Amino acid sequence: MEGSLPKTRSKPRAASLTRDPERTRAAILRAATAEITAKGLTGARVDAIAARAGVNKRMLYHYFGDKQGLYLAVLEHTYAAIRAAEIGLNLTELDPVAGMRKLVLFTWQYFIDHPEFLSLLATENMNRAAYLKTSKQIRTLHAPLVGMIEVLLKRGAAEKVFRAGIDPIELYISIAALGFFYMSNRHTLSTIFGENLSAPERLVRRGEHIVEVILAYLKPTKL
Amino acid sequence: MEGSLPKTRSKPRAASLTRDPERTRAAILRAATAEITAKGLTGARVDAIAARAGVNKRMLYHYFGDKQGLYLAVLEHTYAAIRAAEIGLNLTELDPVAGMRKLVLFTWQYFIDHPEFLSLLATENMNRAAYLKTSKQIRTLHAPLVGMIEVLLKRGAAEKVFRAGIDPIELYISIAALGFFYMSNRHTLSTIFGENLSAPERLVRRGEHIVEVILAYLKPTKL
Amino acid sequence: MEGSLPKTRSKPRAASLTRDPERTRAAILRAATAEITAKGLTGARVDAIAARAGVNKRMLYHYFGDKQGLYLAVLEHTYAAIRAAEIGLNLTELDPVAGMRKLVLFTWQYFIDHPEFLSLLATENMNRAAYLKTSKQIRTLHAPLVGMIEVLLKRGAAEKVFRAGIDPIELYISIAALGFFYMSNRHTLSTIFGENLSAPERLVRRGEHIVEVILAYLKPTKL
Amino acid sequence: MEGSLPKTRSKPRAASLTRDPERTRAAILRAATAEITAKGLTGARVDAIAARAGVNKRMLYHYFGDKQGLYLAVLEHTYAAIRAAEIGLNLTELDPVAGMRKLVLFTWQYFIDHPEFLSLLATENMNRAAYLKTSKQIRTLHAPLVGMIEVLLKRGAAEKVFRAGIDPIELYISIAALGFFYMSNRHTLSTIFGENLSAPERLVRRGEHIVEVILAYLKPTKL
DNA sequence: CATGAATGAGATTTCATTCAT
DNA sequence: TATGAATGAAATCTCATTCAT
């Protein structure tokens, strides 16, 4: 009978914290992202990642093969995140100036919110993009972005609010550059200029500056 | 308390070829710069640096204390080099627009010519500028640069060729950003945009673009 | 920022024989005690300790952090051993004179049997007890010893077989001194006096001498 | 003429600090004694000795051959010093009790004043007196000391102030032990007993204790 | 006599990875 | 699935000693 008094209790198994493969995998990935973006690929320690994830070291190898495999997983996961975020941007429904402003500010805010993305790009560039080159999806994923910018530029030129002949890739690199460099290099810049560039109000001011620079560049020259 | 006489060590052999401390120090610094900028601080190997410099490993410790001391020396030396080059520009003798153009193009060309500078900054920022903050010279090293830009901006405003109220630090960060990001991230950018951003003629075009962006931003708004 | 994927390391081979953490830890501690007491802290070699323990060198760091941590463990373990042995004496059940005699002879025999204890103390005193001072257990470890001696002295005074007013710490230092110095300095003493102080019968005679000295000191002065 | 105005001054040679072999040798010996007694033989650093002596490292090798030779010189010099001090003790002119008291207090005070002597003995004993055994003088140097004690003991026995049948070597070892151990182990003893054994008034008290212990031992047993 | 740069051997410590349980 | 002890290779750093100047 089920309702009877307990006799000898069955030895309870040690309460394994996870036993949930998905959770374990996710915890490792999160820990690895933090560790690798903080210390770089060679600086990151496998032991530290396992400890941070609260998981046995052996599990890293079980799920990701080796440290390099873990790095690739982190990279893919991080890129996937930014792609997902970009989907929500419906620039083409706005007027050209408002659309451009939105793109610029979105990009800037994304860098503020995702320092791990900046770190990872730095790491990957030091690596001469060795991994990224092996990815087939990456390339096609950026076509829509360039397309969106092209549409904005064309409509802006037609409406005489933008100059004609702007190269969308050159422009996008500049939009990214103005935010990326500020955020990725804010520690050295703060040190050499003796100013705290990470202060929230300073970030707002930087965002406005970037918008100004980009819009000034796009503005048609008056006769 | 220490017992047992030490084993007599084996006799060292023939001494070095140089006996020229300055040369040795410089060779180590050069080798360390190359190795550290290629592999990062944790990725760089002390053995590799010594081998590249053609000196005994022991010398690195003799001259620089330890790996971190060597890294700090590389960092200071690299920063000093760009700031020294900037001083040689003599911008204040030119008219404001020409002076600004010269500064922008110099900065851009410097990044092209000194990829090690870009790498080192990336490494140091991953470290949250921990080493740079310990350097006492660094801060004063940058005052002249900001001063030069201020002079240019003031004279440009007086001559009505620049807008008034431009923040020189904000401006310098943008000048640097437009070149730095392009060069430091050229591997990933080339991959995602499917264009070889390292081609010489492409670099020239980027330089012109940066000048355009900066000058458009500085241009006074017509009424 | 760290670039360049790490070289894949060569695959480790067959694992150890034991897989018995307690045994491994104990083996390392035993080997370290032997090596450090024979050569001193700086003279002891980590490689030699690992070899003597029959374990991989890496394990020393796994269990004890570093060489200093290992030294501290040796120190604590060695002190704990003598204090534990003392507690087993049950002195308080004997009459005062017999109890004191037993304590003196026990202490003397302990020094004969544990030359590593003498060496370790010499090493640590050269260090100005720097390591011992960091140990939290050590202090409390000695309270029982002093307590035991106090009880003996009080009972002896009450029974008029000991003088009153004896300081237990001063007394214990003298008990230890008379044996410790003889054993720890027996090599130089044998040399300068031209007598083999390590001969078994000589050790017995010394033990009797120490008992005599201590009991003469404790004896109440007749009027 | 000597009184004329100076013309071109002869280039003054850099003011070499020493150029005085004896001074240099003595400085090295002093520095080596300090370093070796503080850190032990293996713990002492050749560089540190040279720096402390304010002398070029090469000089150590010039004067003493190698590190081991330097150790031997330190040992010899230190022994020579205690021998010199003992010469002034004219114990045999005093009455037995006063003479014994003087010997005990002299020995105690010598240990207080010469901690380097204690350290060196500890080091040499760890070394199993390997060096001391090679010295031919050492042995004969201690005969007078033993002789002095024998005379005191005999006269004391004759005058019925000392027991008969005391072994002078056993006694001397005890006299030395009671002071040596206290001083050489004062760091660990202070730590485990939680009392500052190095305080000046504490040292005075210890001296009195040692005298008491020794005289109680020598006292004839009343019938 | 004096300097200090240079050396080779070897010390301690770190690391990604694997294996017994 | 999960644990953490164990491993070999290689990293950083130290040291007594020698040599060119």
Side-chain angles (χ1 to χ4, degrees):
Chain A
M1 278 232 186
E2 293 301 298
S4 60
L5 291 171
K7 296 166 238 174
T8 49
R9 296 187 182 226
S10 61
K11 203 171 173 187
R13 298 184 46 164
S16 172
L17 290 175
T18 60
R19 286 282 172 190
D20 179 344
E22 272 318 303
R23 257 174 61 97
T24 300
R25 220 193 110 96
I28 294 171
L29 203 55
R30 206 164 36 241
T33 302
E35 178 81 3
I36 291 174
T37 58
K39 312 259 183 72
L41 179 52
T42 54
R45 297 294 161 238
V46 168
D47 277 296
I49 294 170
R52 207 194 273 247
V55 145
N56 185 278
K57 208 176 2 172
R58 188 66 186 77
M59 292 295 96
L60 310 204
Y61 293 91
H62 182 68
Y63 286 112
F64 299 98
D66 59 9
K67 193 186 184 186
Q68 191 167 303
L70 188 49
Y71 169 67
L72 299 188
V74 165
L75 203 55
E76 283 180 346
H77 185 259
T78 303
Y79 265 109
I82 191 174
R83 280 172 231 144
E86 283 169 352
I87 287 175
L89 272 182
N90 273 322
L91 301 184
T92 44
E93 296 174 354
L94 300 172
D95 78 88
V97 171
M100 191 58 68
R101 180 186 302 270
K102 189 174 177 186
L103 173 63
V104 168
L105 288 176
F106 165 83
T107 303
W108 171 236
Q109 191 62 43
Y110 195 87
F111 293 160
I112 292 174
D113 295 341
H114 298 88
E116 81 284 359
F117 181 64
L118 309 183
S119 280
L120 222 45
L121 280 190
T123 296
E124 182 62 4
N125 273 292
M126 239 187 178
N127 204 18
R128 310 182 72 89
Y131 162 67
L132 207 61
K133 283 175 186 157
T134 69
S135 169
K136 277 153 201 164
Q137 325 172 40
I138 287 297
R139 178 67 193 289
T140 59
L141 276 156
H142 290 79
L145 175 65
V146 176
M148 274 188 342
I149 296 172
E150 269 175 337
V151 170
L152 273 184
L153 287 173
K154 256 177 214 159
R155 281 181 35 223
E159 296 176 22
K160 311 276 189 201
V161 294
F162 290 163
R163 278 202 281 157
I166 302 285
D167 176 343
I169 289 178
E170 194 85 83
L171 178 67
Y172 180 74
I173 291 176
S174 291
I175 290 171
L178 291 166
F180 191 104
F181 174 78
Y182 181 101
M183 286 305 293
S184 71
N185 287 38
R186 68 193 183 282
H187 298 110
T188 54
L189 292 170
S190 292
T191 304
I192 67 178
F193 291 129
E195 187 186 341
N196 177 16
L197 298 178
S198 303
E201 64 277 11
R202 188 66 188 77
L203 298 180
V204 171
R205 181 145 71 85
R206 179 67 186 177
E208 288 161 4
H209 170 79
I210 299 174
V211 169
E212 259 190 297
V213 169
I214 295 299
L215 291 184
Y217 169 66
L218 292 176
K219 198 171 168 188
T221 15
K222 294 286 159 49
L223 299 182
Chain B
M1 172 133 348
E2 305 309 333
S4 72
L5 296 173
K7 329 173 179 67
T8 42
R9 309 215 172 184
S10 58
K11 322 249 169 171
R13 278 183 316 135
S16 86
L17 299 172
T18 62
R19 279 288 160 177
D20 180 343
E22 276 315 306
R23 253 173 64 96
T24 301
R25 223 192 108 96
I28 294 171
L29 205 54
R30 206 163 37 240
T33 302
E35 178 80 4
I36 290 173
T37 58
K39 313 262 183 69
L41 177 54
T42 53
R45 297 297 165 226
V46 166
D47 274 305
I49 294 171
R52 206 195 272 249
V55 308
N56 186 286
K57 194 176 23 168
R58 184 65 186 78
M59 288 292 96
L60 310 205
Y61 296 92
H62 185 64
Y63 286 109
F64 299 98
D66 60 7
K67 193 187 182 185
Q68 295 195 359
L70 184 50
Y71 172 69
L72 187 56
V74 165
L75 201 56
E76 286 181 340
H77 185 259
T78 304
Y79 261 112
I82 185 174
R83 298 291 93 104
E86 282 164 356
I87 285 174
L89 286 177
N90 281 327
L91 298 184
T92 45
E93 296 174 355
L94 301 172
D95 80 86
V97 172
M100 191 59 68
R101 180 187 301 271
K102 190 173 178 187
L103 173 63
V104 169
L105 287 175
F106 164 83
T107 303
W108 169 238
Q109 191 62 42
Y110 196 89
F111 293 160
I112 293 174
D113 294 342
H114 297 87
E116 81 284 358
F117 180 64
L118 310 183
S119 281
L120 213 49
L121 285 191
T123 295
E124 182 59 5
N125 274 293
M126 235 182 183
N127 256 344
R128 310 181 70 89
Y131 293 94
L132 200 64
K133 282 176 186 156
T134 70
S135 168
K136 279 154 196 165
Q137 334 173 24
I138 284 298
R139 183 67 194 289
T140 59
L141 214 53
H142 292 80
L145 172 65
V146 177
M148 270 183 358
I149 298 173
E150 269 174 338
V151 170
L152 275 184
L153 287 174
K154 258 178 211 156
R155 282 181 35 224
E159 298 177 20
K160 311 276 187 201
V161 295
F162 290 162
R163 278 201 283 157
I166 301 285
D167 176 344
I169 289 177
E170 193 85 84
L171 177 68
Y172 180 73
I173 292 176
S174 291
I175 291 172
L178 292 165
F180 191 105
F181 174 78
Y182 181 101
M183 287 304 293
S184 72
N185 287 39
R186 67 191 184 283
H187 298 108
T188 53
L189 291 170
S190 292
T191 306
I192 67 180
F193 291 128
E195 187 186 342
N196 178 17
L197 298 178
S198 303
E201 65 280 8
R202 187 65 188 77
L203 298 180
V204 171
R205 181 146 70 84
R206 178 68 186 175
E208 287 161 4
H209 170 79
I210 298 174
V211 170
E212 260 189 296
V213 170
I214 294 301
L215 291 183
Y217 170 66
L218 292 174
K219 198 170 166 189
T221 12
K222 292 290 158 45
L223 301 182
Chain C
M1 173 127 354
E2 306 305 334
S4 72
L5 296 173
K7 327 174 180 67
T8 42
R9 309 213 172 188
S10 59
K11 322 251 168 168
R13 276 182 316 135
S16 86
L17 299 172
T18 61
R19 279 288 160 179
D20 181 343
E22 277 316 307
R23 254 173 63 98
T24 301
R25 223 192 107 98
I28 294 171
L29 204 54
R30 206 163 36 242
T33 301
E35 178 80 4
I36 290 174
T37 58
K39 314 263 184 69
L41 177 54
T42 53
R45 297 296 166 229
V46 166
D47 274 305
I49 294 171
R52 206 194 273 249
V55 308
N56 186 286
K57 195 175 22 167
R58 184 66 185 77
M59 288 293 96
L60 309 205
Y61 296 91
H62 185 63
Y63 286 108
F64 299 97
D66 59 9
K67 193 187 183 185
Q68 296 195 356
L70 183 50
Y71 172 69
L72 187 55
V74 165
L75 202 56
E76 287 181 341
H77 185 259
T78 304
Y79 261 112
I82 186 174
R83 297 294 91 104
E86 283 163 356
I87 285 175
L89 287 177
N90 281 327
L91 298 184
T92 45
E93 297 175 355
L94 301 172
D95 80 88
V97 171
M100 191 59 69
R101 182 186 301 271
K102 190 173 179 188
L103 173 63
V104 168
L105 287 176
F106 164 83
T107 303
W108 170 237
Q109 191 63 42
Y110 196 89
F111 294 162
I112 294 174
D113 294 342
H114 297 88
E116 80 284 0
F117 180 64
L118 310 182
S119 281
L120 213 49
L121 285 192
T123 295
E124 182 59 6
N125 274 292
M126 237 185 182
N127 257 344
R128 310 181 70 88
Y131 293 94
L132 200 64
K133 282 177 187 157
T134 70
S135 168
K136 279 155 198 165
Q137 336 172 24
I138 284 299
R139 184 64 194 289
T140 60
L141 214 52
H142 291 80
L145 171 64
V146 177
M148 270 182 357
I149 297 172
E150 268 174 340
V151 170
L152 275 184
L153 288 174
K154 257 177 216 159
R155 281 181 34 223
E159 297 176 22
K160 311 275 190 205
V161 295
F162 290 163
R163 279 201 283 157
I166 301 283
D167 177 344
I169 289 178
E170 194 84 85
L171 178 67
Y172 179 74
I173 292 176
S174 291
I175 293 171
L178 291 166
F180 192 105
F181 175 77
Y182 181 102
M183 287 305 293
S184 72
N185 286 40
R186 68 192 184 283
H187 299 109
T188 53
L189 291 171
S190 292
T191 305
I192 68 180
F193 291 128
E195 186 185 345
N196 179 16
L197 299 178
S198 303
E201 64 278 10
R202 187 66 189 79
L203 298 180
V204 171
R205 181 146 70 84
R206 177 69 185 174
E208 288 160 4
H209 170 79
I210 298 174
V211 170
E212 260 188 296
V213 170
I214 294 300
L215 291 184
Y217 170 66
L218 291 175
K219 198 170 167 188
T221 15
K222 293 285 158 49
L223 299 183
Chain D
M1 277 231 186
E2 292 302 296
S4 62
L5 292 172
K7 297 168 234 170
T8 48
R9 299 188 178 221
S10 62
K11 202 170 174 186
R13 297 184 48 164
S16 172
L17 290 177
T18 60
R19 286 283 173 189
D20 179 343
E22 273 318 303
R23 258 173 62 95
T24 299
R25 220 193 109 95
I28 294 170
L29 202 55
R30 205 165 36 243
T33 302
E35 179 79 4
I36 290 174
T37 58
K39 313 261 183 70
L41 178 53
T42 54
R45 297 294 162 237
V46 168
D47 277 296
I49 294 171
R52 207 194 271 248
V55 145
N56 185 278
K57 207 175 3 170
R58 188 64 187 78
M59 291 296 95
L60 310 205
Y61 293 92
H62 183 67
Y63 287 110
F64 299 98
D66 60 8
K67 193 188 184 184
Q68 190 167 301
L70 189 48
Y71 170 67
L72 299 187
V74 165
L75 203 54
E76 283 181 346
H77 185 259
T78 303
Y79 265 108
I82 192 173
R83 279 172 233 145
E86 283 168 351
I87 287 175
L89 270 184
N90 274 320
L91 300 185
T92 46
E93 297 174 355
L94 300 173
D95 79 88
V97 171
M100 192 58 69
R101 183 188 299 272
K102 188 174 178 188
L103 173 63
V104 168
L105 288 175
F106 165 83
T107 304
W108 170 235
Q109 191 63 42
Y110 195 87
F111 293 161
I112 292 174
D113 295 341
H114 298 87
E116 80 283 0
F117 181 65
L118 310 183
S119 280
L120 223 45
L121 280 189
T123 296
E124 181 62 4
N125 273 292
M126 240 188 176
N127 205 16
R128 311 181 70 88
Y131 164 68
L132 206 62
K133 282 176 186 158
T134 70
S135 170
K136 279 153 200 163
Q137 325 173 42
I138 287 297
R139 178 68 192 289
T140 60
L141 277 157
H142 291 78
L145 175 65
V146 177
M148 274 186 344
I149 297 173
E150 270 174 338
V151 170
L152 274 184
L153 287 174
K154 260 178 211 157
R155 282 181 35 223
E159 299 176 21
K160 311 277 189 201
V161 295
F162 291 162
R163 278 200 282 157
I166 302 285
D167 176 344
I169 289 179
E170 194 84 85
L171 178 68
Y172 180 73
I173 291 176
S174 290
I175 292 171
L178 291 165
F180 192 104
F181 175 77
Y182 181 101
M183 287 305 293
S184 73
N185 287 38
R186 69 193 183 282
H187 298 110
T188 53
L189 292 171
S190 292
T191 304
I192 68 178
F193 291 129
E195 187 186 340
N196 178 16
L197 298 179
S198 303
E201 65 278 9
R202 187 68 187 77
L203 298 179
V204 171
R205 181 147 70 86
R206 178 68 186 176
E208 288 160 6
H209 170 81
I210 299 174
V211 169
E212 261 189 296
V213 170
I214 295 300
L215 292 184
Y217 170 67
L218 293 175
K219 197 170 168 188
T221 12
K222 295 285 158 49
L223 300 182

